[in-house]
Amino acid sequence: MAEQRRDARDMRGDAQVAPERGELGGRGVRDAVARAWDELVATARRTVADGLVVGTSGNVSVRVDDTVLVTPTGVPYDRLTPDDVVGVDLDGRQVLGSLLPTSELPMHLAIYRATDARAVVHTHAAHATAVSTLVPELPLIHYMAGALGGPVRVAPYATYGTPELAENMLQALTHRTACLLQNHGTIAYGASLDQAYDRTAQLEWMCRVWLLSSSLPGLTPTLLSTPQVEEAGQHLRDYGQKN
């Protein structure tokens, strides 16, 4: 892990390091950051436990005010502690911690700048990645596509960690809360880490269902129409318990 660390002032280009910035709002801000970091680490570990990522692939972030907490690059999630918090501002300048942030930071920041997202989950889920190599859009195999805004698009391939990939992703996310990344994986966002994770898991499940239903020789799966998915999406907005 020591190889992943560097002096925070090197990341800012000056001696005014950011850990103090997390304290400007007082104890309330520090407590909020601590809680969010704990939830982020738990979500990242869940992606591994549920088989959505292998090793240190994939990444997770959550926004607290104008600070984005994000998983560090190349560090196994089971090694992360409360002292390993990593945070950047919306311009990507590191304001918390000394571990390097994920190499996929441009995708996360692009979503926070363009949407009302409070959390983002990116995975290399196997079935979703397989689908991303086959079609430009996930066929409408299940009405849960309505929970993601409609037919799930595939963002054209670009090298990981690049502005080009972030731009391709944003195009695919237009009026959507999740998309596939060609030959790469998935990305989803939500109002919370739980919601972003649930959307990721639903997307992987739909991809698996489509692959299974398409694998039988001589049979073609029945697909839903766009109006059917839109109607389901309307119903899904009222799904669940109300506070």
Side-chain angles (χ1 to χ4, degrees):
M1 181 180 292
E3 294 179 358
Q4 298 298 330
R5 298 179 182 273
R6 69 178 179 183
D7 192 318
R9 73 182 58 194
D10 292 335
M11 303 197 66
R12 295 294 308 281
D14 57 44
Q16 298 301 314
V17 184
E20 291 83 3
R21 282 178 130 191
E23 300 176 2
L24 291 179
R27 181 165 182 170
V29 171
R30 295 196 300 273
D31 289 347
V33 167
R35 287 193 301 271
W37 178 252
D38 286 346
E39 292 175 8
L40 179 149
V41 171
T43 301
R45 290 174 178 170
R46 188 179 177 190
T47 64
V48 177
D50 290 352
L52 299 179
V53 305
V54 176
T56 60
S57 64
N59 28 79
V60 178
S61 69
V62 62
R63 181 172 177 175
V64 180
D65 293 330
D66 289 331
T67 298
V68 175
L69 307 182
V70 64
T71 47
T73 184
V75 179
Y77 301 140
D78 60 1
R79 297 185 190 176
L80 293 175
T81 73
D83 293 330
D84 292 324
V85 61
V86 177
V88 300
D89 64 19
L90 293 174
D91 293 321
R93 294 172 295 193
Q94 187 148 1
V95 297
L96 288 171
S98 58
L99 290 174
L100 297 175
T102 174
S103 57
E104 296 288 15
L105 187 60
M107 281 203 300
H108 290 258
L109 293 180
I111 289 175
Y112 289 119
R113 293 180 192 129
T115 74
D116 59 357
R118 306 304 296 183
V120 176
V121 175
H122 165 51
T123 79
H124 293 178
H127 298 93
T129 302
V131 170
S132 80
T133 71
L134 298 172
V135 292
E137 181 179 279
L138 174 64
L140 291 175
I141 196 67
H142 197 273
Y143 67 79
M144 283 304 293
L148 305 179
V152 178
R153 307 183 188 100
V154 179
Y157 179 81
T159 303
Y160 78 92
T162 61
E164 181 183 3
L165 177 59
E167 179 57 32
N168 291 350
M169 173 208 66
L170 280 183
Q171 292 297 320
L173 283 176
T174 303
H175 304 304
R176 303 289 186 271
T177 55
C179 73
L180 300 174
L181 307 171
Q182 190 177 60
N183 295 85
H184 188 155
T186 71
I187 196 159
Y189 70 87
S192 66
L193 281 165
D194 282 345
Q195 187 177 60
Y197 185 87
D198 183 65
R199 286 170 172 170
T200 300
Q202 291 286 355
L203 176 54
E204 168 66 356
W205 179 81
M206 285 191 291
C207 288
R208 184 181 181 188
V209 169
W210 182 70
L211 289 171
L212 287 171
S213 62
S214 302
S215 65
L216 297 177
L219 295 177
T220 301
T222 300
L223 300 177
L224 300 174
S225 67
T226 298
Q228 286 174 322
V229 170
E230 289 176 348
E231 182 179 4
Q234 292 289 339
H235 285 287
L236 288 167
R237 290 189 180 92
D238 297 323
Y239 178 79
Q241 299 296 317
K242 302 297 183 290
N243 294 330

